[in-house]
Amino acid sequence: MRYWWVNQNQTYRHEVQGGYLWSPKRNANGARNPYYESMREVARGDLVFSFMDTRILAVGIAQSYCWESPKPQEFGNAGQNWENIGWKVKVNFTELVNKVRPIVHFSDGSRDSMFSCG
């Protein structure tokens, strides 16, 4: 089992309620993005921490590997610069009653150690 940290500031509501993660394949300039590429490493049973607006709002368990998928229509104007084809993973999310603000758990205020994935 791996652990994934997912920043969902623009798409949280759609992805958590819809039971999936989606990301473009590349940056707006066409360059590869290691965060987007990591979607290809997600496997069934992996744990996903859903982060938005300084807090972990939900946790999920991946239900599939990723597959190529069009950008969800429900995103609307979110991610206007994203490619229309990206990676999608099914995830069974549970929203947390007590939201976690990770930064308050670091005595020196460092954020470096909290963003490792895999």
Side-chain angles (χ1 to χ4, degrees):
M1 176 193 318
R2 292 185 181 187
Y3 305 88
W4 302 98
W5 180 281
V6 181
N7 294 319
Q8 294 175 293
N9 286 319
Q10 297 184 64
T11 59
Y12 171 84
R13 183 173 43 88
H14 303 298
E15 291 179 299
V16 170
Q17 290 176 3
Y20 65 87
L21 293 174
W22 186 91
S23 79
K25 289 184 174 183
R26 298 180 185 262
N27 288 335
N29 66 3
R32 290 186 183 266
N33 180 315
Y35 300 110
Y36 299 160
E37 288 291 314
S38 67
M39 286 280 283
R40 300 172 66 190
E41 298 177 34
V42 176
R44 185 180 169 100
D46 286 356
L47 182 62
V48 177
F49 294 96
S50 179
F51 183 81
M52 184 184 95
D53 195 28
T54 74
R55 290 178 170 74
I56 297 172
L57 302 181
V59 294
I61 303 293
Q63 303 296 304
S64 72
Y65 293 98
C66 81
W67 72 93
E68 195 174 84
S69 174
K71 182 168 63 173
Q73 291 183 347
E74 59 266 28
F75 283 7
N77 291 331
Q80 288 180 325
N81 296 324
W82 293 338
E83 292 183 310
N84 288 323
I85 300 295
W87 303 118
K88 193 171 188 176
V89 174
K90 289 183 185 180
V91 180
N92 184 12
F93 283 105
T94 299
E95 292 190 272
L96 301 177
V97 173
N98 297 311
K99 313 310 187 217
V100 178
R101 190 162 186 242
I103 196 69
V104 301
H105 299 284
F106 294 95
S107 60
D108 66 354
S110 172
R111 296 175 15 166
D112 294 340
S113 62
M114 72 181 205
F115 288 106
S116 59
C117 295

